[in-house]
Amino acid sequence: MIIYNTTYQMPEADARDFVVWMSEVMVPRLKQTGYISGVRLSRILSHKDDDSECFALQFEIESTARLHYWFVKQGQALGKELLKTFDNRVLGFFTMMEVVVEGK
């Protein structure tokens, strides 16, 4: 299982619009795929600055091959839409993680 994380940072003034865009656009499109699960957007509390907000968007996907398929078919377009909506006010970086041990 792969966990794909994108950490975003933006001015505090854009945080509300970002959360709305994520909840109305990004999260529903991720869920529509049928092969992405565990979609969640979290506020990052450990990196709080006075004038910015940070969020982490995470989801689970079965393999790197499936992640690549999603990125080519949908991820690139969503990234462009995010850029079009927020211009350079939202910065992001990606982390791909593999589940090694899972508590049950």
Side-chain angles (χ1 to χ4, degrees), residues 43-92:
R43 182 182 315 273
I44 298 174
L45 301 176
S46 61
H47 293 22
K48 178 75 174 117
D49 292 330
D50 289 337
D51 57 349
S52 71
E53 291 279 349
C54 293
F55 294 90
L57 175 68
Q58 293 182 333
F59 61 83
E60 298 172 5
I61 194 162
E62 126 191 355
S63 66
T64 57
R66 184 64 88 164
L67 177 62
H68 177 74
Y69 175 83
W70 168 80
F71 186 75
V72 169
K73 294 290 184 184
Q74 201 176 28
Q76 288 176 329
L78 281 169
K80 288 178 183 176
E81 197 170 331
L82 178 82
L83 185 59
K84 182 180 174 187
T85 303
F86 293 98
D87 196 31
N88 63 353
R89 297 183 318 272
V90 174
L91 303 173

Side-chain angles (χ1 to χ4, degrees), residues 18-36:
F18 177 80
V19 170
V20 168
W21 189 87
M22 282 287 173
S23 66
E24 293 180 358
V25 178
M26 180 70 90
V27 170
R29 289 192 194 166
L30 288 168
K31 289 180 169 184
Q32 284 175 342
T33 66
Y35 51 83
I36 290 176

